[in-house]
Amino acid sequence: MSEILVLVEHVDGDVKKVTLELLTLARTLGTPAAVWAGPGYSDAAKARLAEYGAEKIYVAAADEIGDYVAAPKAEVLAHLVAQRSPAAVFVAATGEGKEIAGRLAIKTDSGVISDAVGVGEGFVAEQSIFGGGVNVRSRVTKGTPIITVRPNSTAPVAAAAAGAEEKVEVALSDAARAARIVERVVQEKGARPELTEAAIVVSGGRGVGSGENFAIIEKLADALGAAVGASRAATDAGWYPHQFQVGQTGKTVSPQLYIAAGISGAIQHRAGMQTSKTIVVINKDAEAPLFEIADFGVVGDLFQVVPQLTEEIDKRK
């Protein structure tokens, strides 16, 4: 089967979950080959990638690849595309991933598809566009298909592979060194999973009423081992930090379970969560637009429903 390059997302040497998802997806269409770009590669990382199906691991571990913004990784991928002629390149649909994909498309004179929620035979990608109002299928017709895939679009499944390691050396161009990273600030992390990678997300909206009231959203999230999200109305009101906003102008999530409490369902919010596998809506307004896409809905006061739900979940632990 043809080789599919998967750019590895990693932080401090740890392989991120979205990479395991991409390797799982790549296995259904060809032979996955992981591409590690930047410092931090280790035997543990190699074992993790092989565990999830990487037949080959291309390692470009030069420190300078991590010293500059996006461009060096695009040059590593472009080098491999030229040398290996892969069937496709999969990249995580993160902010950096989309920039890398765009740069790679220019370098290889190829087409690029962004924010796919699925990829089928012939590298036909599924996308949710126009604020989640339209689902489309698209395919690259020129060059090597370069596809960025949304986190949580594929459930990661382990399938041991060889994980044969091959060193890659790329001489970076002056253009790739144009924007140097001068400082990295580590964001404080709590016990909850990262919003865009969480399997379960519990979000609160205008109906929560205040920042103090978000405590009941957090309690439900903690009972489920979930991430906490918020609507734009809630973040604009200062009730919850903006980095937790779900929607067209915030984060895009696609968890296995999305619970929306007190969120009416404006189109910009739906655009950020519509591809969730199961959607549960809690709202006292039976005409709230979000009920239109809900798999399960509860018409009721969230201040009564959410605490009862949390209590029942706690009982079953």
Side-chain angles (χ1 to χ4, degrees), residues 270-306:
R270 290 169 61 160
M273 46 66 68
Q274 186 160 296
T275 56
S276 302
K277 307 305 182 291
T278 301
I279 299 171
V280 177
V281 175
I282 302 168
N283 202 301
K284 64 182 180 181
D285 179 8
E287 302 300 320
L290 204 55
F291 280 119
E292 295 174 7
I293 62 169
D295 296 288
F296 301 95
V298 180
V299 179
D301 187 342
L302 72 87
F303 295 104
Q304 296 179 7
V305 176
V306 173

Side-chain angles (χ1 to χ4, degrees), residues 219-225 310-317:
K219 286 179 182 178
L220 176 57
D222 292 341
L224 291 166
T310 304
E311 183 180 347
E312 287 299 318
I313 291 168
D314 287 336
K315 285 180 182 177
R316 299 187 183 194
K317 288 184 177 179

Side-chain angles (χ1 to χ4, degrees), residues 28-222:
T28 66
L29 300 165
T31 302
V35 180
W36 184 287
Y41 184 73
S42 65
D43 289 340
K46 176 181 178 179
R48 188 68 165 161
L49 295 170
E51 179 186 359
Y52 280 83
E55 288 290 345
K56 187 172 286 187
I57 305 171
Y58 296 109
V59 182
D63 288 343
E64 69 172 349
I65 292 174
D67 290 340
Y68 301 92
V69 179
K73 293 180 181 179
E75 293 200 349
V76 171
L77 287 172
H79 171 80
L80 288 170
V81 168
Q83 294 292 319
R84 306 298 177 184
S85 300
V89 180
F90 289 173
V91 182
T94 59
E96 183 186 46
K98 291 176 185 178
E99 180 176 350
I100 291 168
R103 288 174 177 269
L104 178 61
I106 294 296
K107 291 177 181 296
T108 59
D109 195 25
S110 300
V112 60
I113 294 174
S114 187
D115 252 348
V117 295
V119 183
E121 187 176 350
F123 299 101
V124 175
E126 298 175 20
Q127 295 166 286
S128 179
I129 64 171
F130 296 134
V134 178
N135 294 322
V136 301
R137 300 176 75 209
S138 52
R139 182 169 61 88
V140 169
T141 59
K142 182 181 182 181
T144 302
I146 300 164
I147 304 174
T148 72
V149 183
R150 238 180 236 185
N152 276 323
S153 296
T154 302
V157 178
E165 185 178 314
E166 183 174 324
K167 301 293 185 184
V168 177
E169 293 186 8
V170 177
L172 297 183
S173 67
D174 290 339
R177 296 187 176 94
R180 176 184 285 274
I181 298 170
V182 297
E183 182 182 11
R184 286 184 170 88
V185 178
V186 179
Q187 184 176 343
E188 290 186 19
K189 287 186 64 177
R192 300 186 189 104
E194 204 277 320
L195 181 57
T196 57
E197 294 190 347
I200 304 173
V201 175
V202 181
S203 288
R206 191 189 303 274
V208 176
S210 70
E212 292 76 16
N213 289 341
F214 255 85
I216 68 170
I217 302 297
E218 292 178 330
K219 286 179 182 178
L220 176 57
D222 292 341

